[in-house]
Amino acid sequence: MALQHLNIHRVRNIQSASLTGFGRLNVFFGENGSGKTSVLEAIHLLGMARSFRGTSARTLISHGLADCVVQGTVARSGSGRTTLGVQRALSGELSLRVQGAPAKAVSELVEHLPLQVINADSFALLTGSPPARRQYLNWGVFHVEHRFFPEWQRFQRCIKQRNSGLRRDKLADRELSVWTRELADSGQRLNDFRQDYFADLAPRFRALMERLLPQLGDVELRLRQGWDKRLSYVEALAATLHSDREKGFTQVGPQRADLKVTIEGRAAEDVLSRGQQKLVICGLKLAQGQLMQEKMGRQCCYLVDDLPSELDARHCLRVCEELDQLGAQVFITCVEAADLADQWSEPAEVAMFHVEHGQVTALVQHEQV
Ligand SMILES: Nc1ncnc2c1ncn2[C@@H]1O[C@H](COP(=O)(O)OP(=O)(O)OP(=O)(O)O)[C@@H](O)[C@H]1O
Ligand SMILES: [Mg+2]
């Protein structure tokens, strides 16, 4: 799976750009404020229908204009191509197209262009709050287990209903017990999917960390499922029913799950330097790409913003080597071309683009990926 062609209209400082000639490894370089992150934002918009930073279209649309549009062509791994299009307007309107036909759900785009992002916001995986880590976990499970997404939707429905039942008076007891049973069943399944995924993810992450930061010692990834692991979910819900009633919401469950990285037993966010944190984040993201490749025979596309910042040349090279070995398509930015020009095993697979004042110029271009 590879992005072959990208049209960008009115995304941040890029008024109009038509980019072709992508390789497997695509380096965008240019001065601060030239538009490198904006190119990655445009690809993110194409795959996720939103910015890295959140759901609002305001930050994506060029100042003073009403909408932005991205269109792209993705080559499928067997044969054939998929065209994707996303238009977002300040008014809130969102229009998605797959093969020229309107698409209803963002999940349809995600299927065609699964993205992994490594940028400044990724530090939230270590230093942010649990939702960032749950999102990371869900991304991984979603892409290797097709039953996960419908189950996740069912769980959201059940917990909403149960919480609304909990906030009502005793008359709602029967209804509450129905929703509790549904929730217990759905939550247990979600957790099983996550646990299976995690069992595959954790050793890959450890192996990556041994290569990226061998001097670090014992790095461990742990999954907290969101309730006492000695109990089934139905038991945990029964144990907290009284207090859930008092508080008016469901206190335990997959909605409280979290991931924790420890170094020699200490929380990574407490002991690691900024550069080391970045390498751990790269390890987490690379492990997901490996797993998707191994389980599904599919690659995701990596958007890596400003890899050299915070990393010394040796560690930057290690991350590049891992990205390279993964075989995924990579869109990566840096300020100086030399920072990322020679890190790759196959120069023929590298395309270089210079970005200046919102204009993107291909320097080394490929006929076809
Ligand atoms: N909505 C917007 N409309 C127009 N311009 C914008 C908008 N949002 C940001 N910009 C401007 O677009 C320019 C490019 O921003 P971008 O973040 O892509 O730069 P960059 O090349 O990644 O820079 P850096 O090296 O500092 O990360 C900046 O000057 C920024 O102020
Ligand atoms: Mg940038």
Side-chain angles (χ1 to χ4, degrees):
M1 179 176 315
L3 186 63
Q4 292 187 313
H5 176 231
L6 178 69
N7 284 330
I8 308 173
H9 300 285
R10 304 176 292 283
V11 174
R12 291 159 60 97
N13 75 331
I14 304 178
Q15 290 312 299
S16 182
S18 182
L19 308 184
T20 51
F22 295 140
R24 187 165 67 78
L25 305 153
N26 302 280
V27 179
F28 293 82
F29 66 95
E31 289 182 356
N32 295 140
S34 55
K36 306 176 298 291
T37 301
S38 304
V39 173
L40 300 192
E41 279 278 23
I43 301 172
H44 197 265
L45 180 59
L46 189 67
M48 300 284 284
R50 63 174 174 80
S51 156
F52 300 146
R53 281 156 220 206
T55 48
S56 162
R58 196 177 40 83
T59 58
L60 280 174
I61 299 169
S62 300
H63 294 149
L65 298 177
D67 73 343
C68 63
V69 176
V70 283
Q71 291 149 340
T73 311
V74 180
R76 289 196 294 265
S77 31
S79 62
R81 293 167 185 198
T82 309
T83 57
L84 305 175
V86 176
Q87 177 176 30
R88 291 206 60 167
L90 268 187
S91 61
E93 209 175 306
L94 168 67
S95 149
L96 311 175
R97 286 190 167 265
V98 176
Q99 297 295 47
K104 285 200 194 75
V106 176
S107 53
E108 291 182 47
L109 293 179
V110 174
E111 285 286 322
H112 294 289
L113 188 59
L115 298 173
Q116 274 286 2
V117 179
I118 300 175
N119 67 2
D121 298 338
S122 307
F123 284 92
L125 265 183
L126 290 180
T127 56
S129 52
R133 289 181 287 278
R134 280 197 292 275
Q135 197 179 21
Y136 163 82
L137 183 62
N138 289 344
W139 185 101
V141 193
F142 172 87
H143 284 290
V144 302
E145 172 52 77
H146 69 276
R147 291 171 297 175
F148 177 76
F149 187 56
E151 197 59 63
W152 185 83
Q153 289 178 308
R154 178 180 164 219
F155 181 82
Q156 301 304 321
R157 251 188 342 266
C158 293
I159 197 160
K160 204 170 147 207
Q161 295 288 351
R162 184 173 192 265
N163 285 347
S164 116
L166 284 168
R167 284 192 295 272
R168 280 185 256 137
D169 60 22
K170 291 270 178 201
L171 287 175
D173 262 1
R174 261 188 53 212
E175 196 191 332
L176 182 62
S177 70
V178 170
W179 283 114
T180 301
R181 262 204 313 278
E182 279 282 304
L183 185 73
D185 182 59
S186 180
Q188 190 69 54
R189 278 168 195 260
L190 267 196
N191 186 53
D192 291 347
F193 291 143
R194 281 178 174 170
Q195 294 284 358
D196 287 350
Y197 179 76
F198 179 79
D200 290 328
L201 182 74
R204 282 167 182 81
F205 168 69
R206 274 175 78 115
L208 272 156
M209 291 320 299
E210 274 165 26
R211 298 198 291 276
L212 292 174
L213 264 176
Q215 70 279 25
L216 204 57
D218 192 20
V219 183
E220 209 186 328
L221 182 63
R222 293 186 193 155
L223 171 61
R224 294 179 181 159
Q225 63 183 14
W227 70 91
D228 184 339
K229 62 176 185 239
R230 293 163 301 185
L231 304 179
S232 66
Y233 189 32
V234 75
E235 289 167 340
L237 284 171
T240 51
L241 177 62
H242 185 65
S243 136
D244 280 359
R245 269 221 181 270
E246 277 178 4
K247 295 211 159 95
F249 68 94
T250 307
Q251 296 169 84
V252 293
Q255 78 283 9
R256 300 293 297 274
D258 200 0
L259 286 167
K260 195 92 202 146
V261 179
T262 59
I263 318 292
E264 303 285 347
R266 295 188 185 89
E269 64 274 24
D270 293 340
V271 294
L272 296 184
S273 72
R274 186 86 172 157
Q276 289 172 326
Q277 285 183 17
K278 185 158 182 171
L279 291 161
V280 168
I281 287 156
C282 291
L284 287 167
K285 301 275 181 157
L286 285 159
Q288 287 203 316
Q290 277 186 3
L291 203 46
M292 184 166 156
Q293 164 68 22
E294 286 167 34
K295 294 265 167 197
M296 308 303 286
R298 292 177 77 203
Q299 281 290 1
C300 47
C301 171
Y302 278 78
L303 306 180
V304 188
D305 202 12
D306 210 358
L307 183 68
S309 70
E310 286 124 351
L311 296 182
D312 59 52
R314 194 163 52 96
H315 285 104
C316 185
L317 176 62
R318 284 193 187 154
V319 176
C320 290
E321 285 169 351
E322 293 297 337
L323 281 166
D324 198 346
Q325 274 174 29
L326 194 59
Q329 193 180 29
V330 180
F331 292 83
I332 189 164
T333 72
C334 57
V335 174
E336 300 293 341
D339 291 344
L340 289 174
D342 304 318
Q343 270 74 354
W344 317 102
S345 61
E346 287 294 334
E349 292 183 316
V350 183
M352 301 286 296
F353 298 85
H354 182 227
V355 188
E356 194 176 23
H357 305 306
Q359 307 279 333
V360 186
T361 311
L363 299 186
V364 181
Q365 197 166 352
H366 285 254
E367 286 302 313
Q368 199 161 21
V369 179

